[in-house]
Structure formats: C-alpha cells, structure tokens
Amino acid sequence: MTSVAEASRPAGRAAGGGAGGAAGRGAWFLVLPALIPILVLSVGPLLYGILLAFTDAQSGRTAGTRWIGALNFRDLWHDTLFWESFRIGLVWAVGVTVPQFLLALGLALLLDQELRLRPLARALAIVPWAMPEVVVAIMWRLVYNPDAGVLNETLRDLGLGHGRDWLSGLATALPAVIVVGVWAGMPQTTVALLAGLQNTPRELHEAASVDGAGAWRRFRTVTWPALRPVALAVTALNLIWNVNSFALVYVLTSGGPGGKTRLPMLFAYEEAFRYGQFGYAAAMGCVLVAVVSILLAVFLAGRLRGGEDA
Amino acid sequence: MRTRPAARAGQYAALLAYLAFLAFPFLWLLSTAFKSPRELGSLHPAWIPRHPTLGNFRQAFDQQPLLHAALNSLLVALGAAVIAVVLATPMAYVMARHRSPLSRAATGWVVVSQAFPFVLVIIPLFLVLKHLRLIDSLAGLGMVYAVWTLPFALWMLVGYVRAVPGELEEAAAVDGAGRLRTLVSVTAPLLAPGIAATALFAFVTAWNEFFFALVLLKSPDKQTLPVVLTHFIGAEGVADLGPLAAAASLATLPSLLVFALIQRRITGGLLAGAVKS
C-alpha cells in the first residue's frame, strides 16, 4: 500500500508537540473556510431533511408547510410499494456486496502471486473504477441489448436460447442489474484487499510454510487475521454504498420492469421529484439513514474489536 | 514459495477469466461505437466492426449538445476541484498538526459522509439552493460538489501534511522565518504533489457525478455530460446504439486519464480512511 497514513503516523506525532501554541490562535481562521460551507451545504441540509420528514412539505408549496408529526412514517409503514422497494434494496445490497467481496478476495490472493499478467490486470482494474456510473450503465445496456448485444449473441453461438431481453424480464431484471453492480465495484474492492495483503509481513507466510502449513491453513492462520480489518472496512463501505446507489440502476432500468428493480433511492427520488412529496421522501431518507447508521455502528464496533485483537 | 505446475495453470486460467470479465463490456462498448448502422441492425453482431466508421461520433455530436455539456462538466469539475482544495488545505493543516475535539469531529465526519444517503440531503439542498438562487446554476452545482468532496479531500490532505516532517518547520522557525513564511516556503512545496492529487480526485468525482446534476439542473443548456448522455436513451428505452456508444466512450476518457495518474494515491487514501483513524 502506498498509503499516506502509513508514512505519516510517526511524523505526525513528532510534529504535534513542537509547532503548537503559536498557530493555536490562528487555527480558527484556517478552519472556518471549510467549516462554513460544510455546515451550510451538508450538515444543515441533513438536519433540515430530518425536520422535513415530520412535515407535509411538497414542491412548490413550501410556505404553507405544516408539522404533521410522525404521520409520514405511519404512511410509510403501510406503504406496500415502499416495503417492496426496501426488500429489493436489501436483495440488491447483499446480492452485490457478497459476490463482490468473494470474487475480489480470490482475485486479490491471485494477484498477490508473482504472475505475468499482473500489471495488465491492475491497469485494467482502473477502468470500471474510473468510469462514470452513467457510462457503466450505458455500456451494460449495450451488452444486454436483446438484438445487438454481445450476451445474447454469445448464448446463440453456444446454442443456449435466443434473444432474451434481460433488463425487461420480470425475473431477469434484478439479477441482471446485480451483475452490473458486482462488475462495477469489484476492481475497487480487489485493489483495496490487495493493498491489505501486501501489508502483511512476508516472513509470516514463509515461517508458516516452513512449518508445513498447507495453503488453506496459511490463509486461515496468517493471511485472514491480518486482512480482517481491511476486509471488514471494505465490506461495510460497499454495503453502505450499495444501499445508497442510484445512478447505475436508474440508467439501466429506471426501476422497471414493473418496479422489480426500484431501489429505495429510486423510489424516494420519484416521490420527491416526480410527485413532489418532499416530506414523504424525506421520511424515506430517514429510514435509509437509520439503516446505514446501524451498518456503520456494526462496522465501527467490529473495527474496535479488531483493534483489540491485534 | 514453490507452486505446483497444475496450481499455476489454474491460477492463470482464473486470471484470464477475470481479465475477460473485466474487459468484455468495455471492448463491446468500443466495438459498438465504430459500427455502421447496417452492422448494428444485423442479427449477428460481430466483435470487430467489418467496416469501422466514425459516423457514430459525428452523429452523436449532431444529436445532443455534447460539446456544450462537456464544457459544463469541465467548468463544474474544475471549479469544484479548486474550491475543495482551497477550502480543505488550511483545515487539513490544522487537523494534522493539532489534535483537538474539532479535528476528531472532522475525522468522524469523513467516515459518516461516506455513508450518506444523498436522498435525504437532496431535498433540503434543493430548497436551500433555491433560496440562495443557485438552483439550475453551474456555480451552485460546483459548490455542492466541492463540499461533498471536502471530507475525502480533507482526509487525503491530512495524510500528506503529516508526511511533511514537523522538524523541517521547526528548523525554519529557528532560522527566524515567520509562521507564514515557513508555510509558504517550506511546507507548501512539499505538499504540492498531494494537493494536486487531491484536486484531481475531486475533479473526477465531479466529472462523473450524476444524481445531484440530475436534480439540481433543469435547463438543457446547463446540463452536464452524464445527464446529457442519458438523453440518448429515449423515453421508451429505445436508443440509437451507435451514437450512444460513441458518446459514452468519449465521456470516459478524461476520468480514465486522470485516474491513471492518481490511482495509487487514492487507494492509499481510501484504505487509510476506512481502516485507520
């Protein structure tokens, strides 16, 4: 890992004591330029959003907005469409995160070996990562295209069926977008895990190997304990990002067919900006925040525990 | 460590499968971009266009205001990158050199901001920007991008500042240089590569972003490239495949180039952000 933090820890501590006092008073002037925009454009809106969830705010009628207590949440509770999208969001987030992690772990272990194609693999890994999500989605629309797409053509060549419209099929749409999600996030996860692997001391492997430990035992006793904090962090972040994802599925299917890929984010977007139900959509946002907070808490707790083990 | 030949073969097979999975959609995109309308209409699409043409690119520019949209994206992304770095650098300096409740809170914010459901923020943000008369404005969008890349920019920059040994600054102080002089002549030059990497990161983030742009920009002449790309897909989901592929390929180029430059630094920053703090 060409980590920034790695090099910095000791230096930071060394510097902390010395350069103190004098800058202490000026510090506020250095902090305010960043602090004020953050307060106005992110902390503020977050709090405002939570407030909105308890009102009947609608677009174009902000003046007469009334406080309606938990009514939005009660409506959400009874909204079968919302629960359907919640369920889809869950399937999507887990369905993307788990294969992504397993594939990425396998690849990272592979790329940790001395293989000839490694530089090519690393270079290629940048591509999905750097692409705008919209382009990733467009690209896969071309792959899935029923007539001119490469997927159906390949299946035809192999004699397996003919011309399925993957993104419009009620049964195939969600798996199809999940594949895209896995594809889009896998390289990033691989690179992160690889960096974690390369941080574990080689000598441990060699010692274990000399002791006659097989590949699986080496993985379980040496590799995994060292990799665990990175793996945990990466998985938690991926899960959170996937809960919050929007662009990929919006461009691939717009939530269709028949709402089968309508993730919670898409649902909330439609409520807010198609139907103008700001308060209701904000309540939905609150539910998502709660879900993400739980994930975050689990992640932080796990990280602390990991720290004690080390 | 020795590896048996069979295992080695298996490793290469897995690696090749990975490379194929990674590359094939991208190659298909490029292939589609160079196909003639006739070939796109054929029932047996080929990997390599038989009569490669640039017609799709010309048509893409004819169908949608791509150049104008790219210019919008460029303005917003450059603005966001510059603002983010200008705002974040002083704060990152303070966070790196002084442990205080503020810097702990800021660090916490970095983690939390990664976890944000944008949908909760977008409605209030929409209302706030409307109030500030910054809705449907590139300046407004640039500010939003700058602020939303700030946490990660801060994170990267704190690392870079810590990597500059404090002893250097102390030595300059002993030599009689003032605080500002030390910062400008000692610290800033050493920080420059880190600041550049951070700015490039903010640039790519803003160049690629879709959700905020979709919601906050209404007039067609203000829209950024990712939003305009979706116009190639018609209301019924029917798309003119050739121009769509051509435009999409072009839109990726800038971020690919920038990313190739800074990939290693981002990996480090990302990991550090996720694992340590």
Side-chain angles (χ1 to χ4, degrees), chain A residues 58-143:
Chain A
Q58 289 176 7
S59 67
R61 192 179 63 89
T62 45
T65 299
R66 280 178 313 140
W67 183 266
I68 56 167
L71 211 61
N72 284 326
F73 291 94
R74 212 188 62 191
D75 289 348
L76 261 186
W77 184 258
H78 294 295
D79 188 339
T80 48
L81 283 179
F82 169 71
W83 284 110
E84 175 65 3
S85 98
F86 195 84
R87 189 190 63 79
I88 291 167
L90 205 69
V91 173
W92 154 266
V94 175
V96 172
T97 309
V98 173
Q100 205 168 61
F101 175 77
L102 292 176
L103 284 173
L105 180 63
L107 288 165
L109 289 170
L110 199 62
L111 291 177
D112 198 31
Q113 314 279 319
E114 301 291 327
L115 295 179
R116 275 220 182 86
L117 291 169
R118 194 163 70 167
L120 179 65
R122 291 196 68 146
L124 254 181
I126 298 178
V127 176
W129 193 358
M131 275 181 143
E133 273 185 296
V134 168
V135 174
V136 171
I138 287 173
M139 189 172 75
W140 278 88
R141 284 183 71 121
L142 298 174
V143 169

Side-chain angles (χ1 to χ4, degrees), chain A residues 1-9 11-12 14-16 18-21 23-24 27-28 30-31 33-35 37-38 40-43 45-46 48-50 52 60 62 107 110-111 113-118 120-122 124-135 138-143 145 147-150 153 156 179 183 186-188 190-192 195-196 205 209 218 229-230 233-234 237 240-241 244 246-247 250-251 265 268-269 272-273 278 281-282 285-286 288-289 292 296 299-300 303, chain B residues 1 3 8 11-12 14-16 18-19 21-26 28-29 32 35 40 42-45 47 86-88 90-91 93-94 96-99 102 109 111-112 114-130 132 143-144 147-148 150-151 154-156 158-160 162-167 169-170 179 204 207-208 210-211 214-215 226-227 229-230 233 237-238 241 244-245 248-249 251-252 255-256 259-260 263-277:
Chain A
M1 169 164 77
T2 45
S3 165
V4 182
E6 215 180 354
S8 58
R9 285 286 146 149
W28 276 104
L30 297 175
V31 170
L35 206 57
I38 287 179
V40 173
L41 290 178
S42 68
V43 181
L46 176 71
Y48 190 3
I50 295 172
L52 276 176
T62 45
L107 288 165
L110 199 62
L111 291 177
Q113 314 279 319
E114 301 291 327
L115 295 179
R116 275 220 182 86
L117 291 169
R118 194 163 70 167
L120 179 65
R122 291 196 68 146
L124 254 181
I126 298 178
V127 176
W129 193 358
M131 275 181 143
E133 273 185 296
V134 168
V135 174
I138 287 173
M139 189 172 75
W140 278 88
R141 284 183 71 121
L142 298 174
V143 169
N145 189 284
D147 304 315
V150 64
E153 178 60 13
R156 274 192 294 262
V179 168
W183 184 88
M186 199 180 60
Q188 196 175 338
T190 309
V191 172
H205 279 276
S209 181
R218 280 206 306 276
V230 179
V234 166
L237 280 179
I240 289 167
W241 284 330
N244 291 335
F246 176 82
Y250 179 85
V251 178
M265 276 285 284
Y269 167 79
F273 295 101
F278 279 178
C286 285
L288 282 186
V289 167
V292 165
L296 204 62
F299 156 53
L300 289 173
R303 195 171 66 169
Chain B
M1 263 173 285
T3 313
R8 182 105 307 190
Q11 286 176 347
Y12 273 106
L15 190 60
L16 283 174
Y18 166 63
L19 290 176
F21 181 53
L22 216 55
F24 94 91
F26 192 62
W28 189 251
L29 175 73
T32 309
K35 277 178 185 165
L40 282 168
S42 102
L43 257 177
H44 290 286
W47 269 104
V86 167
L87 297 183
M91 181 159 174
Y93 185 79
V94 174
R97 290 290 191 247
H98 307 276
R99 292 188 177 277
L102 182 74
W109 183 247
V111 177
V112 172
Q114 295 292 307
F116 246 79
F118 284 148
V119 68
L120 184 60
V121 179
I122 193 71
I123 300 165
L125 201 55
F126 183 85
L127 295 173
V128 168
L129 287 177
K130 206 161 138 188
L132 298 172
M143 275 170 54
V144 170
V147 170
W148 282 97
L150 260 183
L154 272 175
W155 187 262
M156 288 175 77
V158 166
Y160 292 122
R162 288 208 179 127
V164 174
E167 290 84 358
E169 291 177 7
E170 281 163 35
R179 188 79 200 156
V204 177
W207 178 271
N208 288 353
F210 175 68
F211 184 54
L214 177 72
V215 174
V227 178
L229 282 181
T230 63
I233 305 163
V238 185
L241 299 182
L244 175 70
S249 320
T252 311
S255 32
L256 266 186
F259 225 79
Q263 181 256 131
R264 278 166 189 280
R265 286 168 183 273
I266 289 183
T267 316
L270 189 80
L271 264 187
V275 182
K276 309 175 183 178
S277 72

